[in-house]
Amino acid sequence: MDLSGVQTVGDAMPSRFSVRCTALVAVVGLGLTGCTIGRTDQADQITAHQALLHGTVVSSHDETGSFWFDVAPVGQSYGPPSLHDVEYTSQDQLPVTLRQNGLVPHTDYKYRVCSKDSDSQAAHPAPPGCGATKFFSTPAAPTAAVSLGDSYISGEAGRWQGNSINAAGDRDGTDRAFTGTGYDESLVYDPPSDTNGCHRSDVAEIHSAALPFDQAINLACSGAVTKNIFRASNGGEGQDGEAPQADQLATVARDKDVKVIALSIGGNDLGFASIVTACVEAYGTTSTCKETEGPGLTAKYPAVRAAVGKAIDEIRTVMADAGYLPSSWRLVLQSYPSAIPRGSEIRVPEIDKISRSSIDGCPVKDSDATWARDTVVGQISDNLATVAADRGVQFLDLRDLFEDREICSTSTQLATPTQGPSGTTSDWARFLNIASVVAQGKLEETFHPNAYGEQAFGKCLSLAFAASGDVACDNTPGSGPAGVVVHPRG
């Protein structure tokens, strides 16, 4: 258990203290057999992981002494004391407190405050120096896995399983929001995220993962940047009417027993959406998005690395403030897969602009597609891996996860009235179908992992948690999301 946080009540510890033992016997009823004592007061601010312990230490000598708090689960022995020096000369009683971290939910604890003079020869524990033992119980708390970050982990586009150009009905089985007579986004995006824009889907990574915990909690929000992670007290900003994600995490950490946090962040800080837009706009022109976006992207990496590092620091601070020890939970930082394949792997020739744009939904030049797939996604992954190593958190590399499962890949196909969607044959990301995008969902869902992609993310997270070290995640050819595998990164 963490024994940090011992302090006196108030802004500073009184420096002088004196007392008569006989007077203390009469005033506070301590039943003294010695002249240096502690009185145990009632604990408060008790959560599943911490409690604020109170006590009073006194001495009959004008000299330096020490005090400590003994804390242990009922039925176990106290551990070695962590001593704190005080100087007894001018106060009748010296109140002290300890914010005890690292507690176990649903556990009964015993505690007491003890003190001794510097010349005391009594061995610990010294009965004359310890107050009466008191007790408190931490509340039960369900174990939980939490996701933080942006659209790739919130579940944006989780409404869709595969793609179809059919704008009617259930869109050849691809639209999971179809009710039979209309469309209800609340069936797939958890309210209020269905209306505020966060788009937390029912198949988002944290829900699709098979983790050994009681609850899965999705705090991620589509469009988030690193400042939407930071606490408001440290420069964070809310989003879509919600508090910063670290502040939301503080509430969850207090009421739950959080075991793992998955974080996907940094892509929007790099302007990934504007890069995609530039690549689409370059299709059919003489320019390329590689030329217009490449130099500016490279210049952003140092600042984004620092911002992602701060996001990790903010999360750790929230967890520490909630009483968690570093060893009691894990943070997994993940990268991004590519929604589009290399130019040579697009099933529609670049020259066939109508089919590539309006049917298959990937209006991007071959050279730009290859640059985005290999250079951009690779650079983002490498930069995030650097942050993970610097901060000492686990890294989940997803850069190759959608290999041969990307939009308009030669290895996938659109759903049709006679052949519905499948995790083994359909795209794992949402396409841009210019002819029907207005009739099929929202534009912001474009180029995001769909339901199959999120299910693959969930399997990756489960395997990464079991592996503990840095891993890379790949799919298995001919297999659906359940067939993804991980291997040591490197």
Side-chain angles (χ1 to χ4, degrees):
M1 290 182 292
D2 182 6
L3 295 177
S4 62
V6 175
Q7 60 185 41
T8 57
V9 173
D11 296 330
M13 179 179 293
S15 61
R16 317 277 305 166
F17 180 85
S18 66
V19 69
R20 293 182 178 86
C21 292
T22 55
L24 280 169
V25 172
V27 173
V28 297
L30 292 172
L32 302 180
T33 58
C35 292
T36 303
I37 62 166
R39 184 185 70 199
T40 310
D41 299 320
Q42 191 60 47
D44 58 15
Q45 299 183 29
I46 302 168
T47 69
H49 300 277
Q50 66 181 196
L52 187 63
L53 310 183
H54 297 275
T56 302
V57 293
V58 298
S59 174
S60 63
H61 304 287
D62 295 340
E63 60 179 30
T64 300
S66 299
F67 71 92
W68 65 93
F69 282 87
D70 284 327
V71 188
V74 172
Q76 297 184 22
S77 300
Y78 294 125
S82 179
L83 302 182
H84 303 270
D85 292 335
V86 288
E87 188 175 354
Y88 301 111
T89 52
S90 90
Q91 296 289 326
D92 287 341
Q93 302 184 53
L94 182 62
V96 292
T97 63
L98 167 67
R99 188 166 296 280
Q100 176 67 60
N101 293 328
L103 302 179
V104 178
H106 200 203
T107 302
D108 297 326
Y109 284 91
K110 61 182 180 180
Y111 69 101
R112 63 186 182 182
V113 65
C114 302
S115 64
K116 66 177 182 179
D117 293 335
S118 59
D119 62 352
S120 174
Q121 300 300 311
H124 171 71
C130 295
T133 300
K134 288 186 179 292
F135 303 89
F136 68 90
S137 298
T138 54
T143 56
V146 178
S147 58
L148 301 173
D150 53 30
S151 55
Y152 267 59
I153 200 169
S154 75
E156 179 76 82
R159 171 178 177 173
W160 307 94
Q161 48 188 13
N163 297 307
S164 168
I165 63 170
N166 186 351
D170 66 358
R171 285 82 187 247
D172 295 329
T174 63
D175 191 348
R176 301 172 54 244
F178 185 59
T179 65
T181 57
Y183 306 95
D184 182 359
E185 291 187 24
S186 69
L187 295 176
V188 290
Y189 295 128
D190 299 332
S193 75
D194 58 324
T195 56
N196 71 10
C198 284
H199 282 178
R200 301 182 179 109
S201 74
D202 59 335
V203 292
E205 174 181 328
I206 204 69
H207 295 303
S208 294
L211 294 168
F213 308 123
D214 299 324
Q215 297 181 4
I217 300 172
N218 188 359
L219 300 180
C221 185
S222 183
V225 294
T226 49
K227 67 182 179 181
N228 301 133
I229 304 294
F230 309 157
R231 293 166 296 159
S233 62
N234 203 26
E237 295 182 8
Q239 181 188 7
D240 295 333
E242 298 184 356
Q245 292 180 36
D247 291 328
Q248 295 183 56
L249 174 64
T251 300
V252 173
R254 183 192 64 224
D255 298 334
K256 316 294 183 184
D257 186 11
V258 177
K259 295 298 186 183
V260 63
I261 297 174
L263 174 64
S264 171
I265 201 68
N268 290 323
D269 294 72
L270 291 166
F272 195 71
S274 64
I275 295 173
V276 171
T277 299
C279 291
V280 171
E281 291 176 345
Y283 188 54
T285 72
T286 58
S287 66
T288 67
C289 61
K290 175 182 178 180
E291 296 171 336
T292 59
E293 303 297 314
L297 178 64
T298 300
K300 293 178 181 178
Y301 285 128
V304 172
R305 285 197 302 269
V308 173
K310 179 179 177 179
I312 292 173
D313 295 342
E314 290 284 289
I315 294 168
R316 281 176 162 163
T317 297
V318 166
M319 296 298 285
D321 287 348
Y324 289 73
L325 300 183
S327 59
S328 68
W329 65 284
R330 190 191 308 180
L331 178 59
V332 181
L333 176 65
Q334 62 190 52
S335 65
Y336 302 87
S338 176
I340 58 175
R342 301 172 183 89
S344 61
E345 298 165 353
I346 297 177
R347 60 177 173 255
V348 180
E350 181 179 315
I351 196 172
D352 188 352
K353 292 182 172 57
I354 293 178
S355 295
R356 185 176 279 202
S357 297
S358 299
I359 298 177
D360 284 77
C362 52
V364 180
K365 288 183 175 180
D366 285 348
S367 60
D368 283 341
T370 301
W371 172 69
R373 165 66 182 86
D374 290 333
T375 301
V376 176
V377 172
Q379 287 178 347
I380 293 175
S381 294
D382 289 342
N383 275 275
L384 291 173
T386 297
V387 178
D390 180 66
R391 289 303 195 276
V393 301
Q394 186 179 13
F395 182 62
L396 176 56
D397 195 333
L398 301 177
R399 74 180 76 192
D400 295 324
L401 177 59
F402 285 8
E403 181 76 25
D404 294 330
R405 296 289 190 274
E406 306 99 335
I407 301 163
C408 59
S409 168
T410 54
S411 300
T412 61
Q413 60 189 34
L414 298 174
T416 68
T418 59
Q419 185 167 347
S422 165
T424 61
T425 61
S426 298
D427 306 335
W428 284 7
R430 183 63 178 159
F431 70 171
L432 172 61
N433 190 290
I434 295 175
S436 60
V437 69
V438 174
Q440 290 197 54
K442 292 181 166 59
L443 183 62
E444 55 262 37
E445 295 169 325
T446 299
F447 292 178
H448 283 87
N450 61 20
Y452 297 134
E454 288 293 332
Q455 289 163 0
F457 279 6
K459 183 62 180 294
C460 292
L461 179 61
S462 300
L463 295 173
F465 184 78
S468 73
D470 292 350
V471 295
C473 196
D474 302 301
N475 71 75
T476 300
S479 180
V484 302
V485 297
V486 297
H487 57 83
R489 184 178 180 273

